[in-house]
Amino acid sequence: MQKIPIIKIGENLIVSLQFDIDDSSAVGLQGDLLLMIQKTGATGVLVELSALDMVDSFMGRMLSDITRMSATMNANTVIVGIQPSVAITLVELGLRLEGVHTALNVEAGIALLEKLRTAKAGSGHETDSDK
Amino acid sequence: MDTLVATHLLKTAAAVRLLGAEAVITGIRPEVAQTIVHLGVDLGDVITRATMAEGLSYGFGKLGIKAVQE
């Protein structure tokens, strides 16, 4: 099982998948990521998949699970860098990843996380001074 | 945490809403977050926060209250 690094930058956690990972690594990542959210109180998670050229149904389900689990712990998730072939595979598998935010690259992903954060602060009447 | 506990929490939150208040579920540990998703329980409508501090911050924000150090 390979350990996947999780990097914290500001309010966000960044996970970059640099190789095709196996199922146990994926499950390990899920746990590690949630622990990091608990430890750091991060409110955004960015998962970068540009080095991935193969996605199976397990991986697809894992991505949507991570999104929902993070949401339970008050963190938005954005998946970025999905290769065109991976996008086709996901849709062919019937995994539409509904409710999962996606962006073209890391830059757009960070911008989207920022937007989601402001939207949430606006609807929840939370202000920066409360934090 | 099992389905029974999860649905009970959802029912509690729904009942609280009927009384004109809003329930925030806090203190969700990583393992519990994983269990909730694996059980397929939809907590989409309920506000959840990882820590009680975050939950209080949310509540204070809603009420327009601010905690300051003297």
Side-chain angles (χ1 to χ4, degrees):
Chain A
M1 185 183 132
Q2 290 140 310
K3 194 139 171 98
I4 298 142
I6 302 166
I7 303 142
K8 179 180 179 281
I9 300 179
E11 289 268 278
N12 301 324
L13 293 177
I14 298 182
V15 183
S16 179
L17 301 180
Q18 302 286 346
F19 39 80
D20 287 322
I21 59 169
D22 54 49
D23 291 2
S24 66
S25 304
V27 173
L29 169 67
Q30 202 175 65
D32 290 348
L33 190 60
L34 294 174
L35 274 174
M36 270 296 267
I37 294 175
Q38 186 187 40
K39 208 165 77 184
T40 63
T43 52
V45 175
L46 194 100
V47 185
E48 204 267 339
L49 309 175
S50 65
L52 231 68
D53 41 34
M54 203 271 304
V55 164
D56 56 9
S57 59
F58 182 83
M59 194 60 200
R61 198 177 60 102
M62 230 258 327
L63 289 174
S64 68
D65 278 359
I66 282 187
T67 306
R68 282 159 61 205
M69 288 169 186
S70 311
T72 313
M73 296 182 74
N74 190 34
N76 298 308
T77 308
V78 174
I79 315 268
V80 302
I82 300 179
Q83 294 287 337
S85 57
V86 172
I88 294 170
T89 316
L90 284 173
V91 175
E92 292 283 335
L93 286 170
L95 293 160
R96 312 297 284 268
L97 295 187
E98 269 163 60
V100 179
H101 296 286
T102 53
L104 189 60
N105 50 39
V106 176
E107 205 171 8
I110 297 271
L112 181 56
L113 279 175
E114 226 32 74
K115 215 170 91 185
L116 290 171
R117 194 169 289 131
T118 5
K120 195 180 256 178
S123 66
H125 306 286
E126 258 174 320
T127 55
D128 289 334
S129 55
D130 297 318
K131 298 209 169 134
Chain B
M1 183 91 166
D2 56 15
T3 36
L4 210 70
V5 177
T7 44
H8 197 81
L9 279 175
L10 279 179
K11 279 185 197 162
T12 311
V16 165
R17 192 171 297 136
L18 287 179
L19 294 174
E22 189 172 31
V24 181
I25 301 175
T26 69
I28 297 185
R29 273 180 290 122
E31 310 90 79
V32 178
Q34 280 175 297
T35 316
I36 288 171
V37 171
H38 285 148
L39 288 173
V41 179
D42 184 21
L43 286 178
D45 300 332
V46 186
I47 291 151
T48 54
R49 291 291 185 266
T51 62
M52 198 165 101
E54 283 176 46
L56 280 173
S57 163
Y58 173 82
F60 282 4
K62 273 224 121 154
L63 296 170
I65 301 172
K66 213 194 292 184
V68 286
Q69 196 170 15
E70 267 188 61

